Amino acid sequence: MSTVITIANQKGGVGKTDLAVNLSALLAGMGRHVLLIDFDPQANASYYLTQDEYTLSTADVLLDGIPLEEIIVKSCVKGLDIAPASIGLSAAQLHLASDVNMQFKLKKALSAIKNHYDYILIDTPPSLGPLTINAFTAADGILVPVQTHFFPVHGLSDLLKTVDELREVVNPNLLFYGIVLTMYDRRTSLAKEVQQVVTARFNGKVFKTVIPVCVKLAEAPSHRKPISLYAPSNKIGKVYTQLTEEFLKRLEN
Ligand SMILES: Nc1ncnc2c1ncn2[C@@H]1O[C@H](COP(=O)(O)OP(=O)(O)OP(=O)(O)O)[C@@H](O)[C@H]1O
Ligand SMILES: [Mg+2]
């Protein structure tokens, strides 16, 4: 049975896609069979990880009921498949809004392939709309990247309130795997302060490994390679390896 992890934060640009792509790639590098589902109309993760054109996307799964396995393509990383997204997901969202079973669409689509992978990660858009709600409903747990700035922390309580509400209504077993602090700039006192505040508030839920601000991470998407292939000897690779090991320790122990 796969473990399904939704990566979410309604704040834009906090490192969701970066975490989804690089964690998926490293899990695959550590021998796990991984699927990354791109559930964001911006399709950033799909661009990042695929070299070839693809015709079907997660929008077709939602709009036309195309089986998920028919849209899955291989990524540039061995052991990592991707269910790519397209801008059509924006229209699919509107369609979802008028469907009474709207929250369960992705969960249903996933049921046919749940045995094919060790981990299924879902990258979500910067909103708490129907796409993210679908991803929460389909997940075993959520992982929340938080940029070490003021506003991203400010929005955390709204996110966790939504998760609590969803637990009551559609997914009582939804776990909170934790918070990953991202884009940490050690030259600023704000980053340190935010780290302290979040760690105090969410004791035990904050990953010890923190992702620093890193030019190589900003460059990697344009080269369409995860950091493990784009800059294998850069020290950021070690940080991401450490994060992945911490993740596996939390989930597999
Ligand atoms: N640690 C980092 N250091 C420097 N740049 C980073 C880092 N992490 C991500 N970036 C860059 O910052 C931008 C935003 O990151 P990313 O796309 O992962 O955020 P996101 O939360 O997925 O955004 P959105 O909400 O739009 O989906 C991207 O250009 C990305 O390459
Ligand atoms: Mg993104």
mmCIF file of all heavy atoms in Angstrom, residues 13 15-18 40 42 44-45 123-126, ligand 2:
data_model
loop_
_atom_site.group_PDB
_atom_site.id
_atom_site.type_symbol
_atom_site.label_atom_id
_atom_site.label_comp_id
_atom_site.label_asym_id
_atom_site.label_seq_id
_atom_site.Cartn_x
_atom_site.Cartn_y
_atom_site.Cartn_z
ATOM 1 N N GLY A 13 4.675 30.513 -3.453
ATOM 2 C CA GLY A 13 6.124 30.693 -3.518
ATOM 3 C C GLY A 13 6.890 30.355 -2.254
ATOM 4 O O GLY A 13 7.952 30.922 -1.992
ATOM 5 N N GLY A 15 7.973 27.223 -1.522
ATOM 6 C CA GLY A 15 8.851 26.060 -1.720
ATOM 7 C C GLY A 15 8.122 24.724 -1.786
ATOM 8 O O GLY A 15 8.744 23.674 -1.625
ATOM 9 N N LYS A 16 6.810 24.754 -2.052
ATOM 10 C CA LYS A 16 6.045 23.486 -2.164
ATOM 11 C C LYS A 16 6.603 22.617 -3.290
ATOM 12 O O LYS A 16 6.906 21.439 -3.096
ATOM 13 C CB LYS A 16 4.555 23.766 -2.490
ATOM 14 C CG LYS A 16 3.763 24.391 -1.370
ATOM 15 C CD LYS A 16 2.314 24.603 -1.769
ATOM 16 C CE LYS A 16 2.107 25.743 -2.752
ATOM 17 N NZ LYS A 16 2.483 27.069 -2.270
ATOM 18 N N THR A 17 6.700 23.217 -4.484
ATOM 19 C CA THR A 17 7.132 22.435 -5.648
ATOM 20 C C THR A 17 8.582 21.985 -5.484
ATOM 21 O O THR A 17 8.924 20.840 -5.796
ATOM 22 C CB THR A 17 6.950 23.270 -6.930
ATOM 23 O OG1 THR A 17 5.569 23.618 -7.025
ATOM 24 C CG2 THR A 17 7.370 22.493 -8.162
ATOM 25 N N ASP A 18 9.392 22.868 -4.953
ATOM 26 C CA ASP A 18 10.795 22.519 -4.714
ATOM 27 C C ASP A 18 10.885 21.290 -3.798
ATOM 28 O O ASP A 18 11.632 20.343 -4.065
ATOM 29 C CB ASP A 18 11.495 23.716 -4.061
ATOM 30 C CG ASP A 18 12.975 23.490 -3.897
ATOM 31 O OD1 ASP A 18 13.688 23.642 -4.891
ATOM 32 O OD2 ASP A 18 13.396 23.112 -2.792
ATOM 33 N N ASP A 40 -1.381 21.159 -9.553
ATOM 34 C CA ASP A 40 -1.362 22.617 -9.623
ATOM 35 C C ASP A 40 -1.460 23.043 -11.091
ATOM 36 O O ASP A 40 -0.640 22.598 -11.910
ATOM 37 C CB ASP A 40 -0.036 23.109 -9.009
ATOM 38 C CG ASP A 40 0.107 24.627 -9.043
ATOM 39 O OD1 ASP A 40 -0.802 25.312 -9.572
ATOM 40 O OD2 ASP A 40 1.127 25.135 -8.552
ATOM 41 N N GLN A 42 -0.478 25.511 -12.507
ATOM 42 C CA GLN A 42 0.776 26.124 -12.979
ATOM 43 C C GLN A 42 1.722 25.085 -13.579
ATOM 44 O O GLN A 42 2.634 25.425 -14.330
ATOM 45 C CB GLN A 42 1.510 26.814 -11.819
ATOM 46 C CG GLN A 42 0.744 27.957 -11.187
ATOM 47 C CD GLN A 42 1.541 28.573 -10.023
ATOM 48 O OE1 GLN A 42 2.201 29.588 -10.203
ATOM 49 N NE2 GLN A 42 1.474 27.986 -8.849
ATOM 50 N N ASN A 44 4.227 23.475 -12.524
ATOM 51 C CA ASN A 44 5.672 23.691 -12.319
ATOM 52 C C ASN A 44 6.435 22.380 -12.111
ATOM 53 O O ASN A 44 7.507 22.187 -12.685
ATOM 54 C CB ASN A 44 5.915 24.601 -11.101
ATOM 55 C CG ASN A 44 5.446 26.020 -11.313
ATOM 56 O OD1 ASN A 44 5.133 26.735 -10.367
ATOM 57 N ND2 ASN A 44 5.360 26.473 -12.564
ATOM 58 N N ALA A 45 5.888 21.483 -11.315
ATOM 59 C CA ALA A 45 6.573 20.206 -11.052
ATOM 60 C C ALA A 45 6.685 19.391 -12.336
ATOM 61 O O ALA A 45 7.694 18.724 -12.581
ATOM 62 C CB ALA A 45 5.842 19.406 -9.976
ATOM 63 N N ASP A 123 1.689 17.558 -5.282
ATOM 64 C CA ASP A 123 2.022 18.992 -5.221
ATOM 65 C C ASP A 123 0.741 19.783 -5.485
ATOM 66 O O ASP A 123 -0.005 19.471 -6.416
ATOM 67 C CB ASP A 123 3.078 19.326 -6.290
ATOM 68 C CG ASP A 123 3.609 20.749 -6.143
ATOM 69 O OD1 ASP A 123 3.524 21.316 -5.033
ATOM 70 O OD2 ASP A 123 4.111 21.303 -7.147
ATOM 71 N N THR A 124 0.472 20.776 -4.656
ATOM 72 C CA THR A 124 -0.807 21.492 -4.737
ATOM 73 C C THR A 124 -0.605 22.985 -5.053
ATOM 74 O O THR A 124 0.490 23.522 -4.862
ATOM 75 C CB THR A 124 -1.569 21.379 -3.387
ATOM 76 O OG1 THR A 124 -0.743 21.932 -2.359
ATOM 77 C CG2 THR A 124 -1.899 19.934 -3.056
ATOM 78 N N PRO A 125 -1.684 23.641 -5.502
ATOM 79 C CA PRO A 125 -1.567 25.084 -5.815
ATOM 80 C C PRO A 125 -1.605 25.945 -4.552
ATOM 81 O O PRO A 125 -1.989 25.457 -3.484
ATOM 82 C CB PRO A 125 -2.816 25.343 -6.670
ATOM 83 C CG PRO A 125 -3.784 24.294 -6.292
ATOM 84 C CD PRO A 125 -3.004 23.107 -5.810
ATOM 85 N N PRO A 126 -1.248 27.216 -4.684
ATOM 86 C CA PRO A 126 -1.279 28.095 -3.513
ATOM 87 C C PRO A 126 -2.684 28.576 -3.185
ATOM 88 O O PRO A 126 -2.994 29.765 -3.320
ATOM 89 C CB PRO A 126 -0.364 29.252 -3.933
ATOM 90 C CG PRO A 126 -0.417 29.258 -5.420
ATOM 91 C CD PRO A 126 -0.647 27.865 -5.856
HETATM 92 MG MG MG B 2 4.382 25.200 -6.719
#
